[in-house]
Amino acid sequence: MHIKRQLAAGIVLLNIALFSYVYYNAQEQKGYAPVNAQTSNEKDRGYAKTENEYSQTFSSKRPGIQPSKMKNTDDLHNLTANTRKEGIEIHNIDVQQKTRVGPAEFWRPELNLSSLPPGLYKRGKPVFDSLPKTYLPGYKSACWKLKGELKCWPYFYLLGMPKCGTTDLWSKITMHPDVKYTVKEPHWWARVRLGLTLAGLRPSKKAFLVTGNLAGYASRSNEMVQQFKLHPSMKSRLIIGDGSASTFWDNSLWDTWDGKRYEGPEYVTADVINVAQPDAKLIVILRNPVDRVYSDYLYFNPIHIVSVDHFHTMVVEVIDRFNTCLQTMSFRGCTYSIKQIDNQPLHTRLLVGLYAVYVRDWFRVYPRDQLKIMRLEDWHINCTGLLPEVFDFLNLEKKSGKTIAQFCEKKLQNGNKVGLHAIGDMLPKTRKLLEDFYESPNKELSLLLGDDKYLWRT
Ligand SMILES: *[C@@H]1O[C@H](CO)[C@@H](O)[C@H](O)[C@H]1NC(C)=O
Ligand SMILES: *[C@@H]1O[C@H](CO)[C@@H](O)[C@H](O)[C@H]1NC(C)=O
Ligand SMILES: *[C@@H]1O[C@H](CO)[C@@H](O)[C@H](O)[C@H]1NC(C)=O
């Protein structure tokens, strides 16, 4: 009787979650804000009543950055002069390249909330306050009792980036029998946790009520926990992941926490996750940022709007606004100001491709060897070489060459929308402009990662 009732409640919840997921994902696929989300006012934010602390997080108006008077879109050389400057100081943060040393297997440092800087504590208080001092021993994942129920964090995060093959990589990782399948993109840490929708749009009551609280997010581990009950030996084997492609870069509410700070955000999502999971495994797949932004543009904008000329105009506008921003803010600050600089509600998310800025912020808090960074270009031609490395990185049982080949044979997931191939490549002048724009940040990235392939010169 009891079990039946739980089952029924579970199904209802699942349906709500599924509806919400499909609905908001549809909005993300469309790439523009639903009308009601754009015009929603303070009263519409029901979560604020239960999460008072977050109510001051949103200002009702986000001042955008106005483009300059420069309208001659052929004066392309001067447009990227700012990012092409040699030795441009993109960042001013120390990078942690160290390896973490821990004693036994599944060892985790103890949580000590009183040692957290107040500014950081504020960013994740409801989460931090629900955490135990130590996680339970014997589990591969970080597991603990939350209100009496066993929950586990994802063992790994596939952090990004959008349009860089995360869906395909995710589908191959989750073919490993010890990785329990879960919905790929809860977009919890960077968005839903803060009351934003999955697509990062204006605060949404629905999105928050379904998955906004920690218990909602942590229940992603429920199926795995069921397995632990049936087969206790699985505790040291099974894991889940989180493949939200926003986690790496999206900190779009930072200025509501910190004000318009020259240096950019004081803390980013990396800092928050690091408090909860200092030993998380982090995977990032990158791609030539020039191709990434075009793919992103084609994917997220309505099909009747996209064209090579339109793309060119949009790129020029974004670079122009970025330059305007650089007059009053650092390169890092402007990169994190994507919400103000992008051409919303249409997308030309150039700043997502300034990888070095984000990589440096994650390296600042996580030891170098907890991040596995790879390129889509290599993944495309070498799944059979790279997938075993990923499994190794996740401490998963080795698979035979034959099994790996079978995993890799499965068709590429989530390519571009059908029909867009007809539009063809971007204009040569747009490509040149973007190559100039990304040249210096790519150089920075290749230095950070110690590998010239991140110059994307070939
Ligand atoms: C472009 O940059 C050069 C060198 O900084 C400058 O002399 C020139 O006036 C600029 N052109 C325009 C149209 O701003
Ligand atoms: C926790 O951090 C505070 C402040 O840094 C420190 O004084 C305290 O000794 C720490 N507690 C433990 C148990 O390490
Ligand atoms: C594929 O990846 C493996 C593992 O990193 C590497 O040893 C091999 O050289 C790669 N092959 C190609 C063709 O890049």
Side-chain angles (χ1 to χ4, degrees):
M1 198 54 201
H2 183 61
I3 290 179
K4 256 193 195 160
R5 216 169 40 226
Q6 279 200 338
L7 203 66
I11 288 170
V12 170
L13 268 180
L14 194 72
N15 276 331
I16 296 172
L18 209 66
F19 167 78
S20 173
Y21 175 76
V22 170
Y23 174 78
Y24 286 104
N25 230 24
Q27 302 309 318
E28 165 110 335
Q29 309 270 328
K30 271 199 229 159
Y32 48 86
V35 173
N36 61 353
Q38 278 187 311
T39 57
S40 74
N41 58 25
E42 307 286 329
K43 279 192 224 100
D44 201 25
R45 296 173 193 160
Y47 67 91
K49 291 181 197 113
T50 50
E51 296 279 314
N52 275 328
E53 274 182 298
Y54 286 130
S55 59
Q56 89 270 17
T57 304
F58 310 101
S59 53
S60 51
K61 250 199 268 161
R62 310 191 129 257
I65 290 168
Q66 297 306 312
S68 72
K69 294 280 184 295
M70 206 276 316
K71 277 289 163 234
N72 177 7
T73 55
D74 287 328
D75 183 20
L76 302 181
H77 185 77
N78 278 21
L79 198 55
T80 52
N82 271 317
T83 53
R84 277 186 297 101
K85 247 185 256 165
E86 281 299 326
I88 188 165
E89 205 187 327
I90 300 187
H91 329 274
N92 45 9
I93 307 162
D94 283 337
V95 175
Q96 186 179 5
Q97 297 270 4
K98 284 186 293 257
T99 295
R100 195 189 295 286
V101 278
E105 202 186 3
F106 311 144
W107 171 83
R108 297 184 173 91
E110 278 193 1
L111 181 70
N112 181 357
L113 287 182
S114 47
S115 68
L116 285 190
L120 176 53
Y121 198 168
K122 193 174 74 175
R123 300 250 173 156
K125 192 173 184 308
V127 178
F128 301 156
D129 286 347
S130 309
L131 295 178
K133 213 164 120 193
T134 55
Y135 293 108
L136 294 168
Y139 293 85
K140 181 168 174 179
S141 306
C143 301
W144 79 107
K145 288 265 175 76
L146 178 66
K147 293 185 183 142
E149 284 186 46
L150 185 64
K151 306 284 177 195
C152 304
W153 287 121
Y155 182 76
F156 71 95
Y157 291 89
L158 175 51
L159 298 168
M161 302 292 270
K163 305 316 292 171
C164 292
T166 61
T167 305
D168 188 51
L169 180 55
W170 175 262
S171 80
K172 306 264 152 75
I173 294 173
T174 53
M175 281 180 201
H176 195 291
D178 290 346
V179 182
K180 228 27 216 152
Y181 186 82
T182 47
V183 171
K184 178 183 172 244
E185 305 208 34
H187 289 286
W188 189 74
W189 284 101
R191 294 175 176 169
V192 176
R193 180 178 69 92
L194 303 168
L196 299 175
T197 65
L198 290 177
L201 305 173
R202 303 282 292 180
S204 146
K205 193 164 145 188
K206 264 192 214 126
F208 185 79
L209 289 180
V210 174
T211 46
N213 60 16
L214 175 61
Y217 177 67
S219 64
R220 297 174 80 250
S221 63
N222 285 0
E223 273 188 48
M224 180 171 72
V225 167
Q226 280 305 316
Q227 289 297 308
F228 294 161
K229 287 181 186 149
L230 297 170
H231 313 284
S233 67
M234 288 290 147
K235 290 176 185 177
S236 59
R237 286 183 64 159
L238 292 187
I239 57 171
I240 56 166
D242 176 332
S244 309
S246 59
T247 317
F248 202 58
W249 60 275
D250 194 352
N251 283 276
S252 48
L253 291 176
W254 74 269
D255 57 340
T256 60
W257 294 97
D258 297 344
K260 208 177 164 224
R261 214 166 155 262
Y262 176 82
E263 302 83 2
E266 188 176 8
Y267 298 102
V268 293
T269 311
D271 297 86
V272 176
I273 298 185
N274 184 251
V275 173
Q277 288 184 272
D279 58 349
K281 305 275 183 204
L282 312 168
I283 303 173
V284 186
I285 183 161
L286 305 173
R287 169 190 194 180
N288 184 340
V290 176
D291 300 323
R292 196 215 72 80
V293 69
Y294 190 49
S295 173
D296 197 89
Y297 164 82
L298 294 178
Y299 188 80
F300 286 112
N301 291 311
I303 198 159
H304 62 277
I305 282 174
V306 301
S307 75
V308 290
D309 290 312
H310 180 250
F311 180 61
H312 184 80
T313 310
M314 300 268 282
V315 166
V316 170
E317 277 177 24
V318 170
I319 297 178
D320 190 30
R321 269 199 296 278
F322 190 69
N323 284 333
T324 307
C325 177
L326 286 176
Q327 289 165 15
T328 54
M329 232 192 253
S330 68
F331 197 101
R332 180 176 177 272
C334 290
T335 302
Y336 281 115
S337 303
I338 182 166
K339 272 262 160 71
Q340 289 86 338
I341 292 175
D342 189 18
N343 284 314
Q344 296 175 70
L346 299 176
H347 274 311
T348 334
R349 303 191 295 184
L350 265 70
L351 310 190
V352 170
L354 298 174
Y355 305 138
V357 175
Y358 312 110
V359 167
R360 199 176 270 264
D361 264 335
W362 285 83
F363 278 4
R364 183 169 50 77
V365 287
Y366 277 100
R368 178 70 187 86
D369 62 358
Q370 275 172 241
L371 274 109
K372 176 148 186 72
I373 299 183
M374 47 205 281
R375 299 193 321 163
L376 175 66
E377 289 85 354
D378 302 323
W379 174 250
H380 265 167
I381 57 163
N382 195 10
C383 171
T384 51
L386 296 173
L387 190 56
E389 285 187 1
V390 174
F391 286 165
D392 248 23
F393 176 70
L394 298 178
N395 298 313
L396 289 164
E397 197 175 74
K398 271 201 190 351
K399 289 283 147 201
S400 71
K402 196 174 148 214
T403 307
I404 293 286
Q406 278 167 0
F407 288 178
C408 285
E409 253 165 41
K410 269 201 72 178
K411 247 187 76 202
L412 282 184
Q413 303 284 318
N414 197 4
N416 260 331
K417 281 178 283 189
V418 188
L420 282 170
H421 296 290
I423 288 171
D425 195 16
M426 67 186 89
L427 299 171
K429 66 174 178 182
T430 320
R431 184 169 284 280
K432 176 74 177 59
L433 181 61
L434 287 169
E435 278 169 357
D436 285 352
F437 180 73
Y438 288 121
E439 186 185 327
S440 179
N442 284 350
K443 208 178 283 174
E444 175 94 15
L445 180 70
S446 70
L447 288 174
L448 276 171
L449 300 180
D451 197 332
D452 274 0
K453 69 184 180 184
Y454 293 98
L455 296 169
W456 281 284
R457 286 231 167 103
T458 47

